[in-house]
Amino acid sequence: GDLCSVINQCPAGTKKPSDWHELLIKTAEPLALNGSGEAMVVLYDATANVEWLKKAAKAGYAPGQWLLATRYADGEDTFLLPWKREDAEEELLKSASEGGFPKAMMEYSTILSERNDLEGVRYWLEAAAKTGYVNGVSSYGAYVAHTPDKVGYPIDLIKGYALISQLQELDGGGNIQSYVEGKLPAIAEKMTSTQIEEAKKYATEWKATHPPLSFFP
């Protein structure tokens, strides 16, 4: 609420927070009823009605599928059988991953790791990195350079150095700079100067052919 609302001296025609909220719902509802998963998620945010989130997931909207999975993990909604909740979370994360949403890819890879499906983990970590998602780039870059070797990628120091070095562009965003400062020298000490130069070229090529880095807020 603006100060003018507090002292009840707003200019004529000024909308109150409740007016904006009403307009939001009136704008989003027709879009949602017409099949927009994004509008359905907006309506969930505006109303806290989980049914809108379920509809977004059913419509195949990947960010909505991921968000519903996280809400289930937080205990939202009712499941008569506890394991059905976990099954629903996994199914949603798998669908959201296949729909291209990298946050889901990272969480789904954790599930696969717990059951020792390293082939699946390798696939989804690489897929997340290719979207530009910072967590995907950092994990994939470190693992492919065997710093450390946790999932069994063939070692590729050039690719690993190239990916981790790109995170410097964020200039400390999300506390990533401290990660880079610890990880990059550890990879570099296993490389020759020629390999480092090759890695810099690889980084340029990667940047030109992939989406920009993002935290996907």
Side-chain angles (χ1 to χ4, degrees):
D2 292 330
L3 178 59
C4 71
S5 299
V6 177
I7 61 176
N8 200 27
Q9 291 184 9
C10 291
T14 300
K15 286 184 172 64
K16 296 178 293 185
S18 58
D19 295 329
W20 284 113
H21 189 258
E22 182 180 353
L23 178 60
L24 169 67
I25 293 175
K26 284 183 177 179
T27 304
E29 272 189 341
L31 296 171
L33 294 174
N34 200 37
S36 169
E38 183 179 8
M40 295 171 191
V41 171
V42 167
L43 285 170
Y44 166 73
D45 288 336
T47 66
N49 183 348
V50 74
E51 294 304 316
W52 281 118
L53 205 48
K54 291 179 182 178
K55 290 177 181 179
K58 188 174 182 181
Y61 184 57
Q65 292 170 332
W66 168 79
L67 185 57
L68 182 58
T70 63
R71 293 297 178 265
Y72 283 165
D74 291 339
E76 191 161 336
D77 210 17
T78 302
F79 289 81
L80 294 177
L81 303 174
W83 59 86
K84 290 292 185 181
R85 180 182 295 276
E86 293 181 2
D87 290 346
E89 290 173 31
E90 179 174 342
E91 184 178 341
L92 287 163
L93 290 174
K94 183 175 185 291
S95 295
S97 297
E98 292 170 345
F101 194 61
K103 286 187 173 182
M105 296 175 191
M106 295 299 292
E107 293 182 30
Y108 185 50
S109 71
T110 298
I111 292 174
L112 296 178
S113 178
E114 290 171 354
R115 63 174 65 131
N116 205 33
D117 179 1
L118 295 185
E119 182 179 356
V121 173
R122 290 191 292 269
Y123 176 85
W124 288 114
L125 285 179
E126 182 177 0
K130 287 179 176 178
T131 70
Y133 183 41
V134 169
N135 289 3
V137 172
S138 60
S139 296
Y140 181 53
Y143 294 156
V144 82
H146 287 194
T147 315
D149 175 18
K150 281 190 174 182
V151 298
Y153 284 118
I155 189 168
D156 190 333
L157 295 171
I158 291 172
K159 180 185 285 187
Y161 185 97
L163 293 176
I164 298 299
S165 66
Q166 289 191 78
L167 299 174
Q168 295 176 109
E169 293 184 1
L170 298 171
D171 194 25
N175 283 330
I176 199 67
Q177 198 64 25
S178 58
Y179 176 86
V180 174
E181 289 172 357
K183 194 67 66 175
L184 203 57
I187 299 174
E189 69 182 14
K190 297 185 281 188
M191 302 172 69
T192 65
S193 58
T194 300
Q195 286 177 312
I196 290 176
E197 289 304 312
E198 289 179 20
K200 291 177 180 178
K201 292 178 183 177
Y202 189 96
T204 300
E205 294 169 2
W206 178 282
K207 182 178 178 180
T209 55
H210 292 80
L213 295 170
S214 175
F215 291 99
F216 283 78

